[in-house]
Amino acid sequence: KQEVTQIPAALSVPEGENLVLNCSFTDSAIYNLQWFRQDPGKGLTSLLLIQSSQREQTSGRLNASLDKSSGRSTLYIAASQPGDSATYLCAVKDNYGQNFVFGPGTRLSVLP
Amino acid sequence: DAGVIQSPRHEVTEMGQEVTLRCKPISGHDYLFWYRQTMMRGLELLIYFNNNVPIDDSGMPEDRFSAKMPNASFSTLKIQPSEPRDSAVYFCASSFRYEQFFGPGTRLTVL
């Protein structure tokens, strides 16, 4: 059974810092991995989708990497801003169906 | 497109009452998912549909929960009878080619 973990559970940084969020999964037979952002009391917003054949994806100040063999993905946020404060979740889709397994999330606070 | 639409946004009900949550997926999406999110258990997949057909309902906690998708633009999740432990945020998501898009959620409180 696929299990997804995220470290750290919470992170607080000053504005302007570059930071890395980590996502680990136990079964490397994944189809893709998706990073989401969730603001308090809101739904999930898709940030980046990485297919299993890809190594990384970039969108603006965000860069997500994928290493299937080691069961890891990282989300890199450059020049963090207070507006980046949210919970970031990763989710993996396996090869066997449409089952997406979510990590518990990392709660990020960017201090002005 | 307006994105995934869910209603109601908030629901407060008493134990034993029937609750119906509604979802309108993004037009053209062929998969629809129902999730539940709690502090204790995080985000859990309850059931998903492909082209209106339920594919995997193994995440539905018990027989009190049921979901339907009568057409491509509408789905319901019903809880009957509701219990306090059902209190959570319920999300609907739809996808096309494996990227999921979430609705704003329904916050359910069962007293």
Side-chain angles (χ1 to χ4, degrees):
Chain A
K1 180 186 172 186
Q2 180 75 270
E3 293 184 2
V4 180
T5 55
Q6 292 186 245
I7 295 173
L11 180 63
S12 185
V13 300
E15 182 177 4
E17 271 203 11
N18 303 324
L19 58 99
V20 175
L21 307 180
N22 298 291
C23 172
S24 297
F25 45 95
T26 55
D27 186 346
S28 62
I30 66 169
Y31 188 86
N32 65 32
L33 184 146
Q34 195 169 354
W35 281 93
F36 294 87
R37 165 188 175 136
Q38 185 175 28
D39 293 283
K42 306 288 187 181
L44 280 70
T45 300
S46 179
L47 297 175
L48 290 164
L49 174 71
I50 310 178
Q51 302 294 349
S52 62
S53 58
Q54 298 175 315
R55 294 301 299 261
E56 65 179 297
Q57 282 281 4
T58 298
S59 176
R61 295 182 294 108
L62 305 180
N63 176 276
S65 67
L66 175 64
D67 183 344
K68 268 182 43 176
S69 61
S70 66
R72 292 181 182 180
S73 176
T74 61
L75 179 66
Y76 174 83
I77 302 177
S80 59
Q81 303 170 357
D84 295 330
S85 298
T87 297
Y88 291 80
L89 298 96
C90 67
V92 298
K93 178 193 171 311
D94 60 32
N95 286 323
Y96 315 117
Q98 285 290 320
N99 191 20
F100 289 82
V101 179
F102 280 78
T106 294
R107 190 171 67 252
L108 173 66
S109 297
V110 181
L111 307 174
Chain B
D1 200 312
V4 177
I5 299 172
Q6 290 187 248
S7 65
R9 294 293 310 277
H10 302 273
E11 176 82 26
V12 180
T13 190
E14 293 188 345
M15 183 173 63
Q17 296 297 307
E18 177 180 295
V19 175
T20 299
L21 311 181
R22 298 173 176 78
C23 175
K24 177 179 168 57
I26 294 172
S27 176
H29 283 192
D30 54 353
Y31 283 90
L32 183 140
F33 306 81
W34 282 101
Y35 290 90
R36 177 172 68 177
Q37 186 177 41
T38 61
M39 289 293 291
M40 290 295 294
R41 300 175 66 90
L43 202 59
E44 302 174 283
L45 177 65
L46 300 177
I47 184 172
Y48 74 87
F49 296 81
N50 176 221
N51 293 322
N52 314 338
V53 177
I55 302 300
D56 185 352
D57 65 353
S58 60
M60 297 284 260
E62 47 198 278
D63 292 345
R64 297 185 296 107
F65 285 70
S66 62
K68 295 182 180 180
M69 192 166 185
N71 57 62
S73 59
F74 183 66
S75 177
T76 60
L77 178 68
K78 186 177 293 187
I79 308 172
Q80 167 63 23
S82 58
E83 297 182 3
R85 60 193 168 116
D86 301 330
S87 296
V89 181
Y90 290 81
F91 288 104
C92 175
S94 66
S95 76
F96 178 71
R97 295 187 179 171
Y98 312 123
E99 182 173 5
Q100 290 193 67
F101 296 86
F102 278 71
T106 295
R107 181 173 296 277
L108 173 65
T109 302
V110 183
L111 303 175

